[in-house]
Amino acid sequence: MDVFDRAESLDRQAIETLQLERLRETLGRVATVPLYAERLAAANLSAANLRSLDDLRRLPFTTKDDLRAAYPSGMLARPLSEMVRVHTSSGTTGTAIAIFHTRNDIAVWADLMARCMHMVGLRSGDVFQNASGYGLFTGGLGIHAGAERLGCCTIPAGAGNTHRQIQLIRDFGVTGLHIIPSYALYLAEALEHEGVPPDKLGLRIALIGAEPHSEEVRRRIEAGLGVK
């Protein structure tokens, strides 16, 4: 299945032309949001007078405080009736941030994740285990949809239950894994404790993220799980 935007194969000039076209479309959409309407007017920027990508320097920043102040739905550029899903941040450091999605947003999100996964070596036919949390956290469902879009047999394992994670990997011949770095290190320790050599696990690629990690941590994960 073709999962790639046509921009993947464009030359630089064509890419910049497309970027400018899409930036104008975006400005036209966000101008319906009161916050952006006010800030774009102050910067004398609009879809009509955006001349080049250099005008990006003139765009106002959106801060986390802006997103918090707009909770729950003050940043919507489309009617609430067009939304099909909402995610939120945890709100542990202040007012939560709400993220709404239209049906098209969900499709674009899946395409984007599929492109990222293809870029690092996953292919249709891989068995992919998602050890990310599902629910209000955006990571789990977005990554899951991308893996299915790419054509992987996708296991929604979720976070935790380490013995079960190992069992699923072994029983279903998992070749690709999404996991946060700290849990990947814990999983590697659990494998060692259970006497499972990394080269016997069958994993090929691990996608790690959602936390900062060093090159040393990357090397430890690669050695502990037998993956790239």
Side-chain angles (χ1 to χ4, degrees), residues 159-198:
N161 199 342
T162 305
H163 177 75
R164 179 66 167 157
Q165 298 278 359
I166 295 171
Q167 182 181 6
L168 290 170
I169 292 170
R170 301 181 75 179
D171 289 352
F172 294 99
V174 173
T175 52
L177 175 69
H178 173 256
I179 189 169
I180 63 174
S182 58
Y183 190 42
L185 292 173
Y186 183 83
L187 181 64
E189 291 177 0
L191 284 170
E192 184 177 7
H193 179 73
E194 293 192 15
V196 181

PDB file of all heavy atoms in Angstrom, residues 159-198:
ATOM      1  N   ALA A 159       1.192  -0.314  28.064  1.00  0.00           N
ATOM      2  CA  ALA A 159       2.365  -0.220  28.930  1.00  0.00           C
ATOM      3  C   ALA A 159       2.280  -1.222  30.078  1.00  0.00           C
ATOM      4  O   ALA A 159       1.201  -1.619  30.504  1.00  0.00           O
ATOM      5  CB  ALA A 159       2.479   1.199  29.482  1.00  0.00           C
ATOM      6  N   GLY A 160       3.455  -1.618  30.578  1.00  0.00           N
ATOM      7  CA  GLY A 160       3.510  -2.467  31.769  1.00  0.00           C
ATOM      8  C   GLY A 160       3.304  -3.942  31.503  1.00  0.00           C
ATOM      9  O   GLY A 160       3.259  -4.387  30.356  1.00  0.00           O
ATOM     10  N   ASN A 161       3.173  -4.723  32.591  1.00  0.00           N
ATOM     11  CA  ASN A 161       2.997  -6.176  32.538  1.00  0.00           C
ATOM     12  C   ASN A 161       4.140  -6.810  31.733  1.00  0.00           C
ATOM     13  O   ASN A 161       3.934  -7.406  30.675  1.00  0.00           O
ATOM     14  CB  ASN A 161       1.644  -6.536  31.939  1.00  0.00           C
ATOM     15  CG  ASN A 161       1.225  -7.961  32.281  1.00  0.00           C
ATOM     16  OD1 ASN A 161       2.053  -8.776  32.678  1.00  0.00           O
ATOM     17  ND2 ASN A 161      -0.052  -8.257  32.122  1.00  0.00           N
ATOM     18  N   THR A 162       5.344  -6.674  32.263  1.00  0.00           N
ATOM     19  CA  THR A 162       6.557  -7.011  31.517  1.00  0.00           C
ATOM     20  C   THR A 162       6.612  -8.474  31.094  1.00  0.00           C
ATOM     21  O   THR A 162       6.992  -8.782  29.956  1.00  0.00           O
ATOM     22  CB  THR A 162       7.795  -6.651  32.352  1.00  0.00           C
ATOM     23  OG1 THR A 162       7.713  -5.269  32.722  1.00  0.00           O
ATOM     24  CG2 THR A 162       9.069  -6.890  31.564  1.00  0.00           C
ATOM     25  N   HIS A 163       6.249  -9.382  31.971  1.00  0.00           N
ATOM     26  CA  HIS A 163       6.273 -10.805  31.602  1.00  0.00           C
ATOM     27  C   HIS A 163       5.366 -11.054  30.400  1.00  0.00           C
ATOM     28  O   HIS A 163       5.726 -11.803  29.479  1.00  0.00           O
ATOM     29  CB  HIS A 163       5.831 -11.672  32.779  1.00  0.00           C
ATOM     30  CG  HIS A 163       5.771 -13.133  32.454  1.00  0.00           C
ATOM     31  ND1 HIS A 163       6.904 -13.923  32.318  1.00  0.00           N
ATOM     32  CD2 HIS A 163       4.700 -13.952  32.206  1.00  0.00           C
ATOM     33  CE1 HIS A 163       6.535 -15.145  32.003  1.00  0.00           C
ATOM     34  NE2 HIS A 163       5.210 -15.205  31.934  1.00  0.00           N
ATOM     35  N   ARG A 164       4.203 -10.394  30.391  1.00  0.00           N
ATOM     36  CA  ARG A 164       3.275 -10.543  29.270  1.00  0.00           C
ATOM     37  C   ARG A 164       3.861  -9.933  28.000  1.00  0.00           C
ATOM     38  O   ARG A 164       3.691 -10.483  26.905  1.00  0.00           O
ATOM     39  CB  ARG A 164       1.947  -9.863  29.626  1.00  0.00           C
ATOM     40  CG  ARG A 164       0.886  -9.915  28.552  1.00  0.00           C
ATOM     41  CD  ARG A 164       0.401 -11.318  28.299  1.00  0.00           C
ATOM     42  NE  ARG A 164      -0.813 -11.321  27.509  1.00  0.00           N
ATOM     43  CZ  ARG A 164      -1.219 -12.344  26.768  1.00  0.00           C
ATOM     44  NH1 ARG A 164      -0.522 -13.458  26.751  1.00  0.00           N
ATOM     45  NH2 ARG A 164      -2.332 -12.274  26.083  1.00  0.00           N
ATOM     46  N   GLN A 165       4.553  -8.815  28.123  1.00  0.00           N
ATOM     47  CA  GLN A 165       5.207  -8.198  26.960  1.00  0.00           C
ATOM     48  C   GLN A 165       6.176  -9.189  26.311  1.00  0.00           C
ATOM     49  O   GLN A 165       6.182  -9.368  25.081  1.00  0.00           O
ATOM     50  CB  GLN A 165       5.977  -6.940  27.378  1.00  0.00           C
ATOM     51  CG  GLN A 165       5.150  -5.816  27.962  1.00  0.00           C
ATOM     52  CD  GLN A 165       4.473  -4.944  26.927  1.00  0.00           C
ATOM     53  OE1 GLN A 165       4.625  -5.144  25.719  1.00  0.00           O
ATOM     54  NE2 GLN A 165       3.711  -3.968  27.383  1.00  0.00           N
ATOM     55  N   ILE A 166       6.988  -9.841  27.147  1.00  0.00           N
ATOM     56  CA  ILE A 166       7.969 -10.803  26.633  1.00  0.00           C
ATOM     57  C   ILE A 166       7.262 -11.990  25.983  1.00  0.00           C
ATOM     58  O   ILE A 166       7.656 -12.470  24.908  1.00  0.00           O
ATOM     59  CB  ILE A 166       8.900 -11.271  27.767  1.00  0.00           C
ATOM     60  CG1 ILE A 166       9.738 -10.086  28.270  1.00  0.00           C
ATOM     61  CG2 ILE A 166       9.807 -12.406  27.292  1.00  0.00           C
ATOM     62  CD1 ILE A 166      10.533 -10.379  29.535  1.00  0.00           C
ATOM     63  N   GLN A 167       6.199 -12.453  26.624  1.00  0.00           N
ATOM     64  CA  GLN A 167       5.446 -13.586  26.076  1.00  0.00           C
ATOM     65  C   GLN A 167       4.860 -13.246  24.706  1.00  0.00           C
ATOM     66  O   GLN A 167       4.916 -14.057  23.774  1.00  0.00           O
ATOM     67  CB  GLN A 167       4.328 -13.975  27.042  1.00  0.00           C
ATOM     68  CG  GLN A 167       3.512 -15.179  26.566  1.00  0.00           C
ATOM     69  CD  GLN A 167       2.393 -15.538  27.531  1.00  0.00           C
ATOM     70  OE1 GLN A 167       2.144 -14.823  28.507  1.00  0.00           O
ATOM     71  NE2 GLN A 167       1.717 -16.643  27.261  1.00  0.00           N
ATOM     72  N   LEU A 168       4.291 -12.050  24.584  1.00  0.00           N
ATOM     73  CA  LEU A 168       3.722 -11.632  23.301  1.00  0.00           C
ATOM     74  C   LEU A 168       4.798 -11.562  22.217  1.00  0.00           C
ATOM     75  O   LEU A 168       4.577 -11.997  21.078  1.00  0.00           O
ATOM     76  CB  LEU A 168       3.040 -10.266  23.447  1.00  0.00           C
ATOM     77  CG  LEU A 168       1.745 -10.238  24.263  1.00  0.00           C
ATOM     78  CD1 LEU A 168       1.324  -8.793  24.538  1.00  0.00           C
ATOM     79  CD2 LEU A 168       0.637 -10.979  23.532  1.00  0.00           C
ATOM     80  N   ILE A 169       5.950 -10.998  22.572  1.00  0.00           N
ATOM     81  CA  ILE A 169       7.047 -10.890  21.603  1.00  0.00           C
ATOM     82  C   ILE A 169       7.445 -12.267  21.102  1.00  0.00           C
ATOM     83  O   ILE A 169       7.621 -12.479  19.894  1.00  0.00           O
ATOM     84  CB  ILE A 169       8.252 -10.169  22.243  1.00  0.00           C
ATOM     85  CG1 ILE A 169       7.923  -8.700  22.507  1.00  0.00           C
ATOM     86  CG2 ILE A 169       9.482 -10.272  21.342  1.00  0.00           C
ATOM     87  CD1 ILE A 169       8.957  -7.966  23.351  1.00  0.00           C
ATOM     88  N   ARG A 170       7.551 -13.210  21.997  1.00  0.00           N
ATOM     89  CA  ARG A 170       8.006 -14.554  21.628  1.00  0.00           C
ATOM     90  C   ARG A 170       6.912 -15.345  20.908  1.00  0.00           C
ATOM     91  O   ARG A 170       7.174 -16.008  19.902  1.00  0.00           O
ATOM     92  CB  ARG A 170       8.477 -15.298  22.876  1.00  0.00           C
ATOM     93  CG  ARG A 170       9.621 -14.603  23.600  1.00  0.00           C
ATOM     94  CD  ARG A 170      10.101 -15.366  24.812  1.00  0.00           C
ATOM     95  NE  ARG A 170      10.894 -16.541  24.436  1.00  0.00           N
ATOM     96  CZ  ARG A 170      11.453 -17.374  25.307  1.00  0.00           C
ATOM     97  NH1 ARG A 170      11.288 -17.174  26.602  1.00  0.00           N
ATOM     98  NH2 ARG A 170      12.151 -18.396  24.898  1.00  0.00           N
ATOM     99  N   ASP A 171       5.679 -15.265  21.416  1.00  0.00           N
ATOM    100  CA  ASP A 171       4.590 -16.072  20.847  1.00  0.00           C
ATOM    101  C   ASP A 171       4.230 -15.640  19.430  1.00  0.00           C
ATOM    102  O   ASP A 171       3.911 -16.469  18.573  1.00  0.00           O
ATOM    103  CB  ASP A 171       3.343 -15.984  21.726  1.00  0.00           C
ATOM    104  CG  ASP A 171       3.493 -16.729  23.039  1.00  0.00           C
ATOM    105  OD1 ASP A 171       4.500 -17.449  23.206  1.00  0.00           O
ATOM    106  OD2 ASP A 171       2.606 -16.586  23.910  1.00  0.00           O
ATOM    107  N   PHE A 172       4.260 -14.325  19.169  1.00  0.00           N
ATOM    108  CA  PHE A 172       3.780 -13.819  17.881  1.00  0.00           C
ATOM    109  C   PHE A 172       4.905 -13.385  16.941  1.00  0.00           C
ATOM    110  O   PHE A 172       4.642 -12.831  15.878  1.00  0.00           O
ATOM    111  CB  PHE A 172       2.801 -12.664  18.108  1.00  0.00           C
ATOM    112  CG  PHE A 172       1.530 -13.101  18.792  1.00  0.00           C
ATOM    113  CD1 PHE A 172       1.354 -12.924  20.153  1.00  0.00           C
ATOM    114  CD2 PHE A 172       0.525 -13.735  18.073  1.00  0.00           C
ATOM    115  CE1 PHE A 172       0.199 -13.346  20.793  1.00  0.00           C
ATOM    116  CE2 PHE A 172      -0.635 -14.171  18.692  1.00  0.00           C
ATOM    117  CZ  PHE A 172      -0.798 -13.978  20.061  1.00  0.00           C
ATOM    118  N   GLY A 173       6.135 -13.653  17.321  1.00  0.00           N
ATOM    119  CA  GLY A 173       7.254 -13.332  16.436  1.00  0.00           C
ATOM    120  C   GLY A 173       7.378 -11.847  16.151  1.00  0.00           C
ATOM    121  O   GLY A 173       7.572 -11.439  14.996  1.00  0.00           O
ATOM    122  N   VAL A 174       7.278 -11.041  17.198  1.00  0.00           N
ATOM    123  CA  VAL A 174       7.332  -9.587  17.035  1.00  0.00           C
ATOM    124  C   VAL A 174       8.696  -9.168  16.495  1.00  0.00           C
ATOM    125  O   VAL A 174       9.738  -9.605  16.992  1.00  0.00           O
ATOM    126  CB  VAL A 174       7.048  -8.882  18.381  1.00  0.00           C
ATOM    127  CG1 VAL A 174       7.268  -7.378  18.276  1.00  0.00           C
ATOM    128  CG2 VAL A 174       5.619  -9.186  18.826  1.00  0.00           C
ATOM    129  N   THR A 175       8.676  -8.312  15.475  1.00  0.00           N
ATOM    130  CA  THR A 175       9.919  -7.818  14.872  1.00  0.00           C
ATOM    131  C   THR A 175      10.137  -6.334  15.107  1.00  0.00           C
ATOM    132  O   THR A 175      11.258  -5.842  15.002  1.00  0.00           O
ATOM    133  CB  THR A 175       9.916  -8.081  13.356  1.00  0.00           C
ATOM    134  OG1 THR A 175       8.699  -7.565  12.786  1.00  0.00           O
ATOM    135  CG2 THR A 175      10.000  -9.574  13.066  1.00  0.00           C
ATOM    136  N   GLY A 176       9.058  -5.598  15.409  1.00  0.00           N
ATOM    137  CA  GLY A 176       9.165  -4.163  15.673  1.00  0.00           C
ATOM    138  C   GLY A 176       8.479  -3.821  16.982  1.00  0.00           C
ATOM    139  O   GLY A 176       7.427  -4.373  17.311  1.00  0.00           O
ATOM    140  N   LEU A 177       9.079  -2.898  17.739  1.00  0.00           N
ATOM    141  CA  LEU A 177       8.570  -2.574  19.066  1.00  0.00           C
ATOM    142  C   LEU A 177       8.613  -1.070  19.273  1.00  0.00           C
ATOM    143  O   LEU A 177       9.616  -0.419  18.970  1.00  0.00           O
ATOM    144  CB  LEU A 177       9.434  -3.265  20.127  1.00  0.00           C
ATOM    145  CG  LEU A 177       9.159  -2.989  21.600  1.00  0.00           C
ATOM    146  CD1 LEU A 177       7.825  -3.610  22.022  1.00  0.00           C
ATOM    147  CD2 LEU A 177      10.296  -3.551  22.465  1.00  0.00           C
ATOM    148  N   HIS A 178       7.514  -0.502  19.800  1.00  0.00           N
ATOM    149  CA  HIS A 178       7.551   0.883  20.266  1.00  0.00           C
ATOM    150  C   HIS A 178       7.524   0.876  21.773  1.00  0.00           C
ATOM    151  O   HIS A 178       6.658   0.241  22.386  1.00  0.00           O
ATOM    152  CB  HIS A 178       6.373   1.701  19.733  1.00  0.00           C
ATOM    153  CG  HIS A 178       6.331   3.068  20.337  1.00  0.00           C
ATOM    154  ND1 HIS A 178       5.432   3.426  21.316  1.00  0.00           N
ATOM    155  CD2 HIS A 178       7.116   4.160  20.135  1.00  0.00           C
ATOM    156  CE1 HIS A 178       5.651   4.677  21.674  1.00  0.00           C
ATOM    157  NE2 HIS A 178       6.666   5.136  20.984  1.00  0.00           N
ATOM    158  N   ILE A 179       8.466   1.620  22.395  1.00  0.00           N
ATOM    159  CA  ILE A 179       8.626   1.549  23.843  1.00  0.00           C
ATOM    160  C   ILE A 179       9.383   2.784  24.307  1.00  0.00           C
ATOM    161  O   ILE A 179      10.251   3.292  23.582  1.00  0.00           O
ATOM    162  CB  ILE A 179       9.382   0.241  24.207  1.00  0.00           C
ATOM    163  CG1 ILE A 179       9.385  -0.017  25.713  1.00  0.00           C
ATOM    164  CG2 ILE A 179      10.787   0.223  23.626  1.00  0.00           C
ATOM    165  CD1 ILE A 179       9.884  -1.415  26.096  1.00  0.00           C
ATOM    166  N   ILE A 180       9.085   3.289  25.498  1.00  0.00           N
ATOM    167  CA  ILE A 180       9.837   4.430  26.000  1.00  0.00           C
ATOM    168  C   ILE A 180      11.199   3.937  26.504  1.00  0.00           C
ATOM    169  O   ILE A 180      11.341   2.787  26.910  1.00  0.00           O
ATOM    170  CB  ILE A 180       9.074   5.197  27.102  1.00  0.00           C
ATOM    171  CG1 ILE A 180       8.831   4.320  28.336  1.00  0.00           C
ATOM    172  CG2 ILE A 180       7.756   5.745  26.554  1.00  0.00           C
ATOM    173  CD1 ILE A 180       8.215   5.081  29.500  1.00  0.00           C
ATOM    174  N   PRO A 181      12.237   4.781  26.461  1.00  0.00           N
ATOM    175  CA  PRO A 181      13.598   4.323  26.777  1.00  0.00           C
ATOM    176  C   PRO A 181      13.747   3.679  28.150  1.00  0.00           C
ATOM    177  O   PRO A 181      14.387   2.627  28.280  1.00  0.00           O
ATOM    178  CB  PRO A 181      14.435   5.603  26.675  1.00  0.00           C
ATOM    179  CG  PRO A 181      13.666   6.489  25.761  1.00  0.00           C
ATOM    180  CD  PRO A 181      12.219   6.174  26.000  1.00  0.00           C
ATOM    181  N   SER A 182      13.167   4.293  29.194  1.00  0.00           N
ATOM    182  CA  SER A 182      13.326   3.739  30.537  1.00  0.00           C
ATOM    183  C   SER A 182      12.710   2.349  30.640  1.00  0.00           C
ATOM    184  O   SER A 182      13.268   1.454  31.297  1.00  0.00           O
ATOM    185  CB  SER A 182      12.716   4.681  31.578  1.00  0.00           C
ATOM    186  OG  SER A 182      11.344   4.916  31.302  1.00  0.00           O
ATOM    187  N   TYR A 183      11.568   2.158  29.983  1.00  0.00           N
ATOM    188  CA  TYR A 183      10.932   0.840  30.033  1.00  0.00           C
ATOM    189  C   TYR A 183      11.700  -0.169  29.179  1.00  0.00           C
ATOM    190  O   TYR A 183      11.745  -1.361  29.501  1.00  0.00           O
ATOM    191  CB  TYR A 183       9.473   0.927  29.600  1.00  0.00           C
ATOM    192  CG  TYR A 183       8.686  -0.345  29.847  1.00  0.00           C
ATOM    193  CD1 TYR A 183       8.850  -1.065  31.027  1.00  0.00           C
ATOM    194  CD2 TYR A 183       7.790  -0.828  28.905  1.00  0.00           C
ATOM    195  CE1 TYR A 183       8.144  -2.234  31.266  1.00  0.00           C
ATOM    196  CE2 TYR A 183       7.071  -1.991  29.130  1.00  0.00           C
ATOM    197  CZ  TYR A 183       7.258  -2.700  30.313  1.00  0.00           C
ATOM    198  OH  TYR A 183       6.561  -3.868  30.550  1.00  0.00           O
ATOM    199  N   ALA A 184      12.320   0.302  28.103  1.00  0.00           N
ATOM    200  CA  ALA A 184      13.144  -0.591  27.278  1.00  0.00           C
ATOM    201  C   ALA A 184      14.306  -1.149  28.091  1.00  0.00           C
ATOM    202  O   ALA A 184      14.649  -2.331  27.986  1.00  0.00           O
ATOM    203  CB  ALA A 184      13.657   0.162  26.052  1.00  0.00           C
ATOM    204  N   LEU A 185      14.924  -0.298  28.917  1.00  0.00           N
ATOM    205  CA  LEU A 185      16.012  -0.762  29.780  1.00  0.00           C
ATOM    206  C   LEU A 185      15.495  -1.776  30.798  1.00  0.00           C
ATOM    207  O   LEU A 185      16.151  -2.793  31.077  1.00  0.00           O
ATOM    208  CB  LEU A 185      16.657   0.427  30.495  1.00  0.00           C
ATOM    209  CG  LEU A 185      17.426   1.408  29.600  1.00  0.00           C
ATOM    210  CD1 LEU A 185      17.858   2.626  30.404  1.00  0.00           C
ATOM    211  CD2 LEU A 185      18.632   0.727  28.964  1.00  0.00           C
ATOM    212  N   TYR A 186      14.308  -1.500  31.350  1.00  0.00           N
ATOM    213  CA  TYR A 186      13.707  -2.424  32.315  1.00  0.00           C
ATOM    214  C   TYR A 186      13.381  -3.766  31.644  1.00  0.00           C
ATOM    215  O   TYR A 186      13.593  -4.836  32.219  1.00  0.00           O
ATOM    216  CB  TYR A 186      12.452  -1.805  32.925  1.00  0.00           C
ATOM    217  CG  TYR A 186      11.807  -2.658  33.995  1.00  0.00           C
ATOM    218  CD1 TYR A 186      12.280  -2.620  35.304  1.00  0.00           C
ATOM    219  CD2 TYR A 186      10.749  -3.508  33.693  1.00  0.00           C
ATOM    220  CE1 TYR A 186      11.700  -3.411  36.293  1.00  0.00           C
ATOM    221  CE2 TYR A 186      10.166  -4.299  34.673  1.00  0.00           C
ATOM    222  CZ  TYR A 186      10.646  -4.243  35.966  1.00  0.00           C
ATOM    223  OH  TYR A 186      10.078  -5.031  36.942  1.00  0.00           O
ATOM    224  N   LEU A 187      12.857  -3.690  30.419  1.00  0.00           N
ATOM    225  CA  LEU A 187      12.533  -4.914  29.677  1.00  0.00           C
ATOM    226  C   LEU A 187      13.793  -5.734  29.419  1.00  0.00           C
ATOM    227  O   LEU A 187      13.773  -6.971  29.526  1.00  0.00           O
ATOM    228  CB  LEU A 187      11.854  -4.548  28.354  1.00  0.00           C
ATOM    229  CG  LEU A 187      11.412  -5.709  27.461  1.00  0.00           C
ATOM    230  CD1 LEU A 187      10.332  -6.541  28.142  1.00  0.00           C
ATOM    231  CD2 LEU A 187      10.891  -5.183  26.122  1.00  0.00           C
ATOM    232  N   ALA A 188      14.898  -5.056  29.095  1.00  0.00           N
ATOM    233  CA  ALA A 188      16.160  -5.759  28.860  1.00  0.00           C
ATOM    234  C   ALA A 188      16.621  -6.470  30.135  1.00  0.00           C
ATOM    235  O   ALA A 188      17.109  -7.613  30.079  1.00  0.00           O
ATOM    236  CB  ALA A 188      17.228  -4.774  28.388  1.00  0.00           C
ATOM    237  N   GLU A 189      16.464  -5.813  31.284  1.00  0.00           N
ATOM    238  CA  GLU A 189      16.818  -6.436  32.552  1.00  0.00           C
ATOM    239  C   GLU A 189      15.938  -7.658  32.829  1.00  0.00           C
ATOM    240  O   GLU A 189      16.412  -8.689  33.327  1.00  0.00           O
ATOM    241  CB  GLU A 189      16.677  -5.425  33.690  1.00  0.00           C
ATOM    242  CG  GLU A 189      17.700  -4.301  33.659  1.00  0.00           C
ATOM    243  CD  GLU A 189      17.468  -3.293  34.766  1.00  0.00           C
ATOM    244  OE1 GLU A 189      16.502  -3.464  35.556  1.00  0.00           O
ATOM    245  OE2 GLU A 189      18.247  -2.316  34.857  1.00  0.00           O
ATOM    246  N   ALA A 190      14.651  -7.541  32.497  1.00  0.00           N
ATOM    247  CA  ALA A 190      13.729  -8.653  32.705  1.00  0.00           C
ATOM    248  C   ALA A 190      14.088  -9.845  31.819  1.00  0.00           C
ATOM    249  O   ALA A 190      13.999 -11.006  32.244  1.00  0.00           O
ATOM    250  CB  ALA A 190      12.298  -8.198  32.428  1.00  0.00           C
ATOM    251  N   LEU A 191      14.502  -9.557  30.604  1.00  0.00           N
ATOM    252  CA  LEU A 191      14.929 -10.631  29.698  1.00  0.00           C
ATOM    253  C   LEU A 191      16.131 -11.368  30.278  1.00  0.00           C
ATOM    254  O   LEU A 191      16.187 -12.604  30.252  1.00  0.00           O
ATOM    255  CB  LEU A 191      15.297 -10.051  28.328  1.00  0.00           C
ATOM    256  CG  LEU A 191      14.142  -9.645  27.418  1.00  0.00           C
ATOM    257  CD1 LEU A 191      14.670  -8.872  26.213  1.00  0.00           C
ATOM    258  CD2 LEU A 191      13.369 -10.870  26.952  1.00  0.00           C
ATOM    259  N   GLU A 192      17.080 -10.590  30.787  1.00  0.00           N
ATOM    260  CA  GLU A 192      18.270 -11.202  31.392  1.00  0.00           C
ATOM    261  C   GLU A 192      17.873 -12.059  32.588  1.00  0.00           C
ATOM    262  O   GLU A 192      18.384 -13.174  32.769  1.00  0.00           O
ATOM    263  CB  GLU A 192      19.257 -10.108  31.800  1.00  0.00           C
ATOM    264  CG  GLU A 192      20.570 -10.645  32.344  1.00  0.00           C
ATOM    265  CD  GLU A 192      21.554  -9.536  32.665  1.00  0.00           C
ATOM    266  OE1 GLU A 192      21.170  -8.347  32.590  1.00  0.00           O
ATOM    267  OE2 GLU A 192      22.708  -9.857  33.013  1.00  0.00           O
ATOM    268  N   HIS A 193      16.956 -11.547  33.394  1.00  0.00           N
ATOM    269  CA  HIS A 193      16.494 -12.281  34.582  1.00  0.00           C
ATOM    270  C   HIS A 193      15.804 -13.586  34.197  1.00  0.00           C
ATOM    271  O   HIS A 193      15.941 -14.604  34.896  1.00  0.00           O
ATOM    272  CB  HIS A 193      15.543 -11.408  35.402  1.00  0.00           C
ATOM    273  CG  HIS A 193      15.001 -12.071  36.627  1.00  0.00           C
ATOM    274  ND1 HIS A 193      15.769 -12.293  37.754  1.00  0.00           N
ATOM    275  CD2 HIS A 193      13.762 -12.583  36.901  1.00  0.00           C
ATOM    276  CE1 HIS A 193      15.041 -12.899  38.664  1.00  0.00           C
ATOM    277  NE2 HIS A 193      13.824 -13.089  38.185  1.00  0.00           N
ATOM    278  N   GLU A 194      15.065 -13.565  33.070  1.00  0.00           N
ATOM    279  CA  GLU A 194      14.353 -14.762  32.619  1.00  0.00           C
ATOM    280  C   GLU A 194      15.243 -15.683  31.784  1.00  0.00           C
ATOM    281  O   GLU A 194      14.803 -16.728  31.317  1.00  0.00           O
ATOM    282  CB  GLU A 194      13.111 -14.362  31.814  1.00  0.00           C
ATOM    283  CG  GLU A 194      12.037 -13.678  32.656  1.00  0.00           C
ATOM    284  CD  GLU A 194      10.707 -13.546  31.937  1.00  0.00           C
ATOM    285  OE1 GLU A 194      10.519 -14.227  30.903  1.00  0.00           O
ATOM    286  OE2 GLU A 194       9.841 -12.790  32.421  1.00  0.00           O
ATOM    287  N   GLY A 195      16.496 -15.259  31.564  1.00  0.00           N
ATOM    288  CA  GLY A 195      17.429 -16.091  30.827  1.00  0.00           C
ATOM    289  C   GLY A 195      17.165 -16.149  29.335  1.00  0.00           C
ATOM    290  O   GLY A 195      17.461 -17.160  28.680  1.00  0.00           O
ATOM    291  N   VAL A 196      16.615 -15.063  28.781  1.00  0.00           N
ATOM    292  CA  VAL A 196      16.317 -15.017  27.348  1.00  0.00           C
ATOM    293  C   VAL A 196      17.402 -14.189  26.651  1.00  0.00           C
ATOM    294  O   VAL A 196      17.476 -12.970  26.834  1.00  0.00           O
ATOM    295  CB  VAL A 196      14.941 -14.381  27.080  1.00  0.00           C
ATOM    296  CG1 VAL A 196      14.655 -14.373  25.578  1.00  0.00           C
ATOM    297  CG2 VAL A 196      13.849 -15.124  27.831  1.00  0.00           C
ATOM    298  N   PRO A 197      18.268 -14.817  25.840  1.00  0.00           N
ATOM    299  CA  PRO A 197      19.302 -14.063  25.138  1.00  0.00           C
ATOM    300  C   PRO A 197      18.662 -13.105  24.130  1.00  0.00           C
ATOM    301  O   PRO A 197      17.718 -13.488  23.419  1.00  0.00           O
ATOM    302  CB  PRO A 197      20.116 -15.136  24.420  1.00  0.00           C
ATOM    303  CG  PRO A 197      19.756 -16.425  25.102  1.00  0.00           C
ATOM    304  CD  PRO A 197      18.348 -16.252  25.567  1.00  0.00           C
ATOM    305  N   PRO A 198      19.161 -11.867  24.022  1.00  0.00           N
ATOM    306  CA  PRO A 198      18.566 -10.898  23.086  1.00  0.00           C
ATOM    307  C   PRO A 198      18.523 -11.402  21.645  1.00  0.00           C
ATOM    308  O   PRO A 198      17.552 -11.154  20.928  1.00  0.00           O
ATOM    309  CB  PRO A 198      19.493  -9.681  23.228  1.00  0.00           C
ATOM    310  CG  PRO A 198      20.122  -9.814  24.564  1.00  0.00           C
ATOM    311  CD  PRO A 198      20.257 -11.276  24.804  1.00  0.00           C
TER     312      PRO A 198
END
